[in-house]
Amino acid sequence: MSSEEKIDVEKMLSFIPSASSIYSRQVKVTEKRVKLIYDAAVEEGKLVLSKRLATQLGITDRAEISVGSGRVRVTLAAVIDESSSDDTVVKANPDQMRSLGVADGSTVVVRAPR
């Protein structure tokens, strides 16, 4: 190597990511605890949730609710409510939820089906 050739160290190390980009990874939320509210306008087998909640959890067409540490686990068709911004509430058919033993105002875990 002659004295005229210089190695560009910055160029050599450019492919190594910075420490801040490695340690600032976002944790993806896979499930969320919300309140289940009875709504007679919701058809059986369907669950109404806000668009914001659906995008947070990656829900597109089906959603799973779990009550009491998995005592009751049901997969329902997801209906995304574009007008709702409340991501702490989901709505379901009262008759179906009563038959499953889920009370109005219960705290449930919502997630995309596994």
Side-chain angles (χ1 to χ4, degrees), residues 8 10 22 41 44-45 49 93 97:
D8 189 5
E10 221 176 280
I22 292 172
E44 278 196 35
L49 61 156
N93 183 279
M97 292 299 118

Side-chain angles (χ1 to χ4, degrees), residues 43-114:
E43 297 175 28
E44 278 196 35
K46 295 191 178 184
L47 183 74
V48 177
L49 61 156
S50 70
K51 183 177 181 178
R52 183 173 166 194
L53 181 62
T55 54
Q56 269 182 346
L57 301 177
I59 296 172
T60 55
D61 58 343
R62 312 263 319 143
E64 182 180 293
I65 61 168
S66 178
V67 184
S69 302
R71 179 180 57 84
V72 175
R73 184 180 288 178
V74 184
T75 302
L76 303 166
V79 177
I80 299 171
D81 186 4
E82 301 284 337
S83 62
S84 175
S85 63
D86 188 7
D87 60 344
T88 62
V89 173
V90 294
K91 297 176 184 174
N93 183 279
D95 298 328
Q96 182 181 17
M97 292 299 118
R98 280 190 202 106
S99 67
L100 293 169
V102 181
D104 187 24
S106 296
T107 301
V108 299
V109 176
V110 179
R111 68 176 70 90
R114 295 180 183 170

Side-chain angles (χ1 to χ4, degrees), residues 9-55:
V9 176
E10 221 176 280
K11 196 175 204 180
M12 288 175 56
L13 298 176
S14 65
F15 67 92
I16 299 173
S18 65
S20 62
S21 68
I22 292 172
Y23 293 113
S24 69
R25 291 186 181 145
Q26 297 288 330
V27 176
K28 181 157 175 20
V29 178
T30 58
E31 60 185 34
K32 188 168 182 182
R33 291 177 58 166
V34 296
K35 292 283 184 191
L36 183 127
I37 304 295
Y38 287 173
D39 188 353
V42 179
E43 297 175 28
E44 278 196 35
K46 295 191 178 184
L47 183 74
V48 177
L49 61 156
S50 70
K51 183 177 181 178
R52 183 173 166 194
L53 181 62
T55 54

